[in-house]
Amino acid sequence: MFSRVSTWLRHKPLRLSHFRSYSAPASRSDPPAKLKFIPSSGTYPKGFFTGSSHAGVKATNTRYNDIALVVSEQPCSAAALFTRNVFKAAPVHVSQTILQRRRDGFHGVVVNSGNANAVTGLEGSKHASKMASTADQCLAASFSDSIATSALPETPRMLVMSTGVIGQRLPIDPITAAIPEAYRSLGATHADWMSAARAICTTDTFPKLLSQAFTLPSNPAVEYRIAGMTKGAGMLHPNMGTLLAIICTDAKIDPASITQFLKCATDVTFNCISVDGDTSTNDTIALFANGAAAPAGADALAIPKDVSDLTSIDSTLTEDTRTFARVLTKFLTDLSHLVVRDGEGATKFITIRVQSATSIQAARRAASSISTSALVKTAFYGKDANWGRILCAIGYAPGIVDNPILEIPAGQADQVKPSETSVTLIPADASDELCLLKRGEPQDVDEGRAKQILQMEDVEILVQLNDADGAKSGSQYEATYWTCDLSHEYVTINADYRT
Amino acid sequence: MFSRVSTWLRHKPLRLSHFRSYSAPASRSDPPAKLKFIPSSGTYPKGFFTGSSHAGVKATNTRYNDIALVVSEQPCSAAALFTRNVFKAAPVHVSQTILQRRRDGFHGVVVNSGNANAVTGLEGSKHASKMASTADQCLAASFSDSIATSALPETPRMLVMSTGVIGQRLPIDPITAAIPEAYRSLGATHADWMSAARAICTTDTFPKLLSQAFTLPSNPAVEYRIAGMTKGAGMLHPNMGTLLAIICTDAKIDPASITQFLKCATDVTFNCISVDGDTSTNDTIALFANGAAAPAGADALAIPKDVSDLTSIDSTLTEDTRTFARVLTKFLTDLSHLVVRDGEGATKFITIRVQSATSIQAARRAASSISTSALVKTAFYGKDANWGRILCAIGYAPGIVDNPILEIPAGQADQVKPSETSVTLIPADASDELCLLKRGEPQDVDEGRAKQILQMEDVEILVQLNDADGAKSGSQYEATYWTCDLSHEYVTINADYRT
């Protein structure tokens, strides 16, 4: 499978020099408070190259790159998860089709920011296909003098993503003109990755890029790498946020297992963050694995068909599989947190941990409802320990209460016992925690101490649903969500987003 | 049933003069833009009296009345609907118990604003009971020299409501001291009703009070009246808003039917408004009917047990029942709109009409999701016709998409057909409407005209889910929701509500 690419590399030395010629664009100025989240160097997976260019998708953008390419020189196994929104954007439909038709042999993804190409009718689908095929043509041009390909494949080898305003037609001509330019800029340095991470941003205030090395137990001498970029600052809620995320690794993953790896890791990371409760039309998270760091003959990481819990100790997973699942989950945790850190108008990073629930669903319903409550989020913005709103949000969570419109039957309420519920604020600096409600009884809260905790950028809300009998009743399920506060700036950003 | 009260009236002429002695408190200043929603006179149901007094529930409130009483001199039939929130406030539990134990013979309700008495543990329940029994003692004092009662009834004849901050203990002593004072202030003038309507307000910027006369077809010579007050400006979402509503009529309603009357009318009115998607711990809407205007021997308005649709023409309802159901529904529509008009920080009144849905649930799911989308609401605040967000909100609506956390199965998406969906802006001034999306295809929108429409305070969004085949396929269900925009002021109000 990998031989074709080696051939390509062998035949394209001149083009490779192009990959390095990319120079970073004039960067938007990053907020000083966010600089700590922007890496100044990185370690990137072998055989992956990134590039970007300027198409001016948004008429007001005369300056910043808004086309990004992520390309593997070797064909990859790939997986992507998409928004559940009924009004899926055209690039979502097109990428889904590509993934279905072409089970392997992927080479990466082309992305535009500035326009979501969503709810754009038949023309929108043509535009998304055109983006994928234009990117594929760039690959074809590289391959043209190799033995591997001479004609364009029927199904593009590149996925496509768009992000930006919904319901406006994509300016396709400048985009198709800019894609070859992005291709020519491909490179593998930190600056190259950073420029692509910047090009996919919309209302983001800083680029979101992470990378790391890891090893697998069966052969600790081999170093693998994983890198990922993400964007998304609003219209952001589990299943999934308005976000794009692209993760690349040079580990070797079985094409039949890669979706399950991604799904398990996403479920407890990107599907547990919320900025504003709006689930967009475009959300896409893609994982590419090209195996470039794997020694010849190394087994691909695979998962038996009947295993869904990658953390289970009793499963038949190999140590390598288990290790990679842990690495991927931790990596997606860190990457997804960057999105929350840049939540539109966010001033706080709020961790919501719900414990001693009677089921994982109950824990997630409670955590999700808190994470989307406008009143909880404005209170945190105001540094106000208005914890009654936390309880309130648990108490009306769909699935915890019955709901005739959703046809959720009555009798759900036993998931939460008000008289057994406790709420505690956990400060970020490991100083003493502050109990607000203990088994249904409000505590005499030191408001000064509460204010002190709420001054911190990072705060954790710990909710115990069955504080009394967690251990003995088996009410031991828990869920963790991450969200930000709701500020004046959120309103400012979204009241006039299109201009 | 009504004889006891006549006795009471006969024995209490002096006390009745007290009822008129009430003088309006120093009023908060009402916003000039809202004056058109505040009636300067009214026509109130016979036999109902209202009063208010100052307890200083909130320490910072040294001036405004925060205790309200609504009392019928005759025993009433009564119904109340309550929040579905699991963390029901103490007054909700206490009122539910009173309604269950005492099937009739109600005399009204006592309300405090400034503190919701919610999530306040065992002490909170005692406080709510104390409020109800204190109010009942006032009645008992009135009855003391009559033949009807000499001892306090085991179950109070007064319901109890609280509204305000959650999770703080109620200052019960000032409240129990203020209730008799409110009782002494009872009166039946417009000023009396208005002062009670003001006393139940929290973050409301204007009092919400409506009244009207109506007749029933069987005896058009008899004039009945209905009056109601409501409050609630935030933590407000169907099932139900953070609101209190008290509706009184001098029509005669069968105690066994009154709950169904209220339920049917609430379902398409107060359960179809949203300010911020938070469903509070305290929501209560109560209907009292004392029959004081009904001629002797008149039949009580009743509903057969098996009828749930009061608008159905094929049903066995009498013309009187049908007429009253219409009057009540229209009255609750108008009353509920006042709450939206005063949504926290609201600058717009947005009607969301979803048509040609395949079921009433699909219509309501779509309308509800639009009405709570932070992105739709900030766009309207910014007068930005960002209609893609409307489609987006429909597309992720729980119940329209599958949801593993809510255990909503896949296969729901056929409720919405993107290629058959149309969206139109309907201006409030009956000028030309503006089609934004027609059967899945975005229209070339005149942005100037869109801005013009969005300058208006009232805007309607019309969504047709199956525009092509509504008539022929039977996709003819519709739902109407009402909401407001999300503004900077909402954040300001809620970031520091407790101080």
Side-chain angles (χ1 to χ4, degrees):
Chain A
M1 179 198 276
F2 296 94
S3 60
R4 180 206 297 179
V5 171
S6 313
T7 308
W8 176 43
L9 279 175
R10 207 165 49 237
H11 282 254
K12 286 282 134 194
L14 285 175
R15 194 163 294 279
L16 268 178
S17 70
H18 267 304
F19 287 177
R20 307 293 187 275
S21 71
Y22 178 77
S23 63
S27 78
R28 314 178 199 205
S29 78
D30 302 312
K34 304 295 186 184
L35 291 179
K36 61 188 169 194
F37 303 120
I38 307 173
S40 55
S41 66
T43 175
Y44 297 96
K46 284 182 193 166
F48 280 99
F49 298 88
T50 62
S52 67
S53 62
H54 175 78
V57 175
K58 235 176 154 175
T60 50
N61 172 15
T62 57
R63 186 171 171 193
Y64 302 115
N65 285 358
D66 46 11
I67 302 291
L69 274 177
V70 177
V71 175
S72 167
E73 56 187 3
Q74 306 183 351
C76 304
S77 58
L81 302 174
F82 300 96
T83 179
R84 284 201 173 83
N85 198 303
V86 173
F87 291 90
K88 288 176 177 62
V92 169
H93 284 297
V94 168
S95 289
Q96 282 180 321
T97 304
I98 292 172
L99 278 162
Q100 277 160 13
R101 291 206 187 143
R102 170 184 291 285
R103 309 247 158 212
D104 55 26
F106 300 95
H107 272 279
V109 59
V110 56
V111 191
N112 78 274
S113 60
N115 184 317
N117 193 11
V119 206
T120 42
L122 292 175
E123 202 180 10
S125 300
K126 288 179 196 161
H127 289 165
S129 294
K130 181 80 178 164
M131 283 179 65
S133 61
T134 302
D136 201 273
Q137 276 165 359
C138 298
L139 301 181
S142 300
F143 288 142
S144 63
D145 56 347
S146 83
I147 54 167
T149 53
S150 55
L152 208 68
E154 216 170 286
T155 301
R157 294 160 293 190
M158 297 288 284
L159 303 182
V160 56
M161 302 179 179
S162 298
T163 179
V165 66
I166 300 174
Q168 294 187 354
R169 294 182 197 283
L170 204 62
I172 188 65
D173 291 339
I175 291 174
T176 50
I179 291 172
E181 198 187 327
Y183 191 80
R184 285 190 293 274
S185 81
L186 287 175
T189 66
H190 175 71
D192 296 318
W193 280 83
M194 188 57 81
S195 76
R198 284 190 192 279
I200 66 172
C201 289
T202 55
T203 56
D204 307 65
T205 68
F206 66 93
K208 296 162 190 71
L209 174 67
L210 290 177
S211 62
Q212 71 169 78
F214 64 96
T215 59
L216 296 176
S218 65
N219 189 349
V222 177
E223 191 182 73
Y224 295 95
R225 294 181 184 86
I226 185 167
M229 61 185 76
T230 187
K231 65 79 50 183
M235 201 180 272
L236 186 43
H237 186 59
N239 297 316
M240 297 173 23
T242 288
L243 62 89
L244 304 180
I246 302 163
I247 299 102
C248 304
T249 179
D250 49 18
K252 187 172 173 183
I253 305 181
D254 172 30
S257 297
I258 188 168
T259 302
Q260 201 177 339
F261 273 113
L262 182 59
K263 201 170 170 316
C264 292
T266 301
D267 206 38
V268 293
T269 58
F270 278 94
N271 275 345
C272 291
I273 60 174
S274 181
V275 166
D276 55 13
D278 280 66
T279 303
S280 100
T281 50
N282 289 58
D283 312 327
T284 305
I285 178 168
L287 171 63
F288 297 95
N290 67 3
D299 287 338
L301 295 162
I303 310 169
K305 288 252 180 272
D306 56 340
V307 175
S308 66
D309 179 2
L310 300 190
T311 60
S312 163
I313 291 170
D314 303 329
S315 81
T316 55
L317 304 177
T318 66
E319 271 307 305
D320 278 5
T321 295
R322 216 190 296 278
T323 300
F324 180 72
R326 268 197 301 267
V327 167
L328 183 65
T329 303
K330 178 66 170 60
F331 189 79
L332 292 196
T333 302
D334 295 343
L335 199 61
S336 67
H337 287 188
L338 290 179
V339 177
V340 178
R341 297 258 175 220
D342 200 17
E344 285 174 348
T347 73
K348 296 229 170 290
F349 181 87
I350 307 167
T351 299
I352 298 155
R353 197 177 302 277
V354 175
Q355 292 183 331
S356 63
T358 54
S359 69
I360 186 71
Q361 277 87 352
R364 292 190 75 151
R365 288 163 183 171
S368 174
S369 189
I370 297 168
S371 78
T372 53
S373 161
L375 288 168
V376 170
K377 288 151 75 86
T378 47
F380 273 86
Y381 173 58
K383 304 181 178 67
D384 180 10
N386 197 332
W387 56 270
R389 294 179 177 177
I390 298 169
L391 278 302
C392 180
I394 299 170
Y396 67 69
I400 283 180
V401 291
D402 60 309
N403 186 313
I405 299 173
L406 296 180
E407 293 170 355
I408 293 171
Q412 307 284 317
D414 57 353
Q415 296 169 66
V416 176
K417 296 179 195 152
S419 63
E420 300 295 347
T421 301
S422 299
V423 178
T424 305
L425 275 186
I426 315 265
D429 63 356
S431 59
D432 285 350
E433 56 190 45
L434 182 66
C435 185
L436 304 169
L437 182 79
K438 186 70 180 169
R439 296 181 196 169
E441 291 291 335
Q443 303 300 293
D444 289 326
V445 174
D446 176 349
E447 293 282 347
R449 173 65 181 146
K451 279 266 175 216
Q452 212 172 35
I453 294 176
L454 293 173
Q455 293 291 339
M456 301 178 200
E457 182 178 338
D458 289 31
V459 184
E460 178 177 327
I461 304 167
L462 171 65
V463 175
Q464 293 156 291
L465 291 180
N466 295 282
D467 191 16
D469 54 8
K472 61 182 183 226
S473 75
S475 302
Q476 296 198 61
Y477 294 93
E478 75 171 77
T480 305
Y481 273 53
W482 298 277
T483 191
C484 57
D485 53 342
L486 173 57
S487 69
H488 289 109
E489 201 192 335
Y490 177 88
V491 177
T492 301
I493 292 168
N494 285 297
D496 205 14
Y497 173 61
R498 294 192 311 160
T499 55
Chain B
M1 180 199 277
F2 296 94
S3 61
R4 183 206 295 177
V5 170
S6 312
T7 309
W8 177 41
L9 277 175
R10 205 164 54 236
H11 282 255
K12 287 281 131 197
L14 286 175
R15 193 160 296 276
L16 268 178
S17 72
H18 266 304
F19 287 175
R20 307 292 188 273
S21 70
Y22 177 75
S23 62
S27 77
R28 313 177 200 208
S29 79
D30 301 312
K34 304 294 186 186
L35 291 178
K36 61 189 170 194
F37 303 120
I38 308 173
S40 56
S41 67
T43 173
Y44 296 96
K46 285 183 191 165
F48 281 98
F49 299 87
T50 62
S52 68
S53 62
H54 175 79
V57 175
K58 235 176 155 175
T60 50
N61 172 15
T62 56
R63 185 171 172 193
Y64 303 114
N65 285 358
D66 47 10
I67 302 290
L69 274 177
V70 177
V71 175
S72 168
E73 57 187 1
Q74 305 183 351
C76 303
S77 59
L81 302 175
F82 300 96
T83 179
R84 283 204 174 80
N85 198 304
V86 173
F87 290 91
K88 288 177 176 60
V92 169
H93 283 298
V94 168
S95 289
Q96 282 179 320
T97 305
I98 292 173
L99 278 162
Q100 277 159 12
R101 290 206 187 144
R102 169 183 292 283
R103 308 248 160 209
D104 55 25
F106 299 94
H107 273 278
V109 59
V110 57
V111 191
N112 78 274
S113 61
N115 184 317
N117 193 11
V119 207
T120 42
L122 292 174
E123 201 180 9
S125 302
K126 286 180 196 159
H127 288 165
S129 295
K130 181 81 178 166
M131 281 179 66
S133 62
T134 302
D136 201 275
Q137 275 165 1
C138 298
L139 300 179
S142 299
F143 287 141
S144 63
D145 56 347
S146 82
I147 55 167
T149 53
S150 56
L152 207 66
E154 216 169 286
T155 302
R157 293 159 294 188
M158 298 288 282
L159 302 182
V160 57
M161 301 179 180
S162 298
T163 180
V165 67
I166 301 174
Q168 293 187 353
R169 294 182 196 283
L170 205 63
I172 189 65
D173 292 339
I175 291 174
T176 50
I179 291 172
E181 197 186 328
Y183 190 81
R184 283 190 295 273
S185 80
L186 288 175
T189 66
H190 175 71
D192 295 319
W193 281 83
M194 189 55 82
S195 75
R198 285 189 192 280
I200 67 173
C201 291
T202 54
T203 57
D204 306 65
T205 67
F206 66 93
K208 296 162 192 70
L209 174 67
L210 290 176
S211 62
Q212 71 170 79
F214 65 95
T215 60
L216 296 176
S218 67
N219 190 349
V222 178
E223 191 180 76
Y224 295 94
R225 293 180 186 87
I226 186 167
M229 64 186 74
T230 186
K231 67 77 49 182
M235 202 181 273
L236 183 45
H237 186 60
N239 299 313
M240 298 173 26
T242 290
L243 61 88
L244 305 179
I246 302 162
I247 299 103
C248 304
T249 180
D250 49 18
K252 187 173 173 182
I253 305 181
D254 172 31
S257 298
I258 188 168
T259 300
Q260 203 176 338
F261 274 113
L262 182 60
K263 201 171 170 315
C264 292
T266 301
D267 206 36
V268 292
T269 58
F270 277 95
N271 274 347
C272 292
I273 61 175
S274 181
V275 166
D276 56 12
D278 279 65
T279 303
S280 100
T281 49
N282 288 60
D283 312 326
T284 305
I285 177 166
L287 171 64
F288 297 95
N290 67 3
D299 286 339
L301 295 162
I303 309 170
K305 288 251 178 273
D306 56 341
V307 176
S308 66
D309 180 2
L310 300 189
T311 61
S312 164
I313 291 171
D314 303 329
S315 82
T316 55
L317 304 177
T318 67
E319 270 307 305
D320 279 6
T321 295
R322 218 189 296 278
T323 300
F324 179 72
R326 269 196 300 268
V327 167
L328 183 64
T329 304
K330 177 67 170 62
F331 188 80
L332 292 196
T333 303
D334 295 343
L335 199 60
S336 67
H337 287 188
L338 291 179
V339 177
V340 178
R341 296 258 174 221
D342 201 15
E344 284 173 351
T347 73
K348 298 230 168 290
F349 181 87
I350 306 167
T351 300
I352 298 155
R353 197 177 304 275
V354 175
Q355 292 184 333
S356 63
T358 53
S359 69
I360 186 70
Q361 276 87 351
R364 293 190 75 151
R365 288 164 183 170
S368 174
S369 189
I370 297 168
S371 77
T372 51
S373 160
L375 286 168
V376 170
K377 290 151 74 86
T378 46
F380 273 87
Y381 173 58
K383 305 181 178 65
D384 180 11
N386 197 333
W387 55 270
R389 293 178 178 176
I390 297 169
L391 277 302
C392 180
I394 297 170
Y396 67 70
I400 283 180
V401 290
D402 59 309
N403 187 314
I405 299 172
L406 296 179
E407 292 171 354
I408 293 171
Q412 308 282 318
D414 57 353
Q415 297 167 66
V416 176
K417 296 177 195 154
S419 63
E420 301 295 347
T421 301
S422 299
V423 178
T424 307
L425 274 187
I426 314 263
D429 63 357
S431 59
D432 286 349
E433 55 191 46
L434 183 66
C435 185
L436 304 169
L437 182 80
K438 185 71 180 170
R439 296 185 196 165
E441 291 291 335
Q443 303 299 292
D444 289 325
V445 174
D446 176 351
E447 293 282 346
R449 174 64 181 147
K451 279 267 174 215
Q452 213 173 34
I453 294 176
L454 293 174
Q455 293 292 341
M456 301 177 198
E457 182 178 338
D458 287 31
V459 184
E460 179 177 327
I461 303 168
L462 172 64
V463 175
Q464 293 156 292
L465 290 180
N466 296 281
D467 191 15
D469 54 7
K472 60 181 185 226
S473 75
S475 302
Q476 296 196 60
Y477 294 93
E478 73 169 80
T480 306
Y481 271 54
W482 298 276
T483 190
C484 57
D485 53 342
L486 172 57
S487 68
H488 290 111
E489 201 192 334
Y490 177 88
V491 177
T492 301
I493 292 167
N494 285 298
D496 205 15
Y497 174 63
R498 293 193 311 162
T499 54

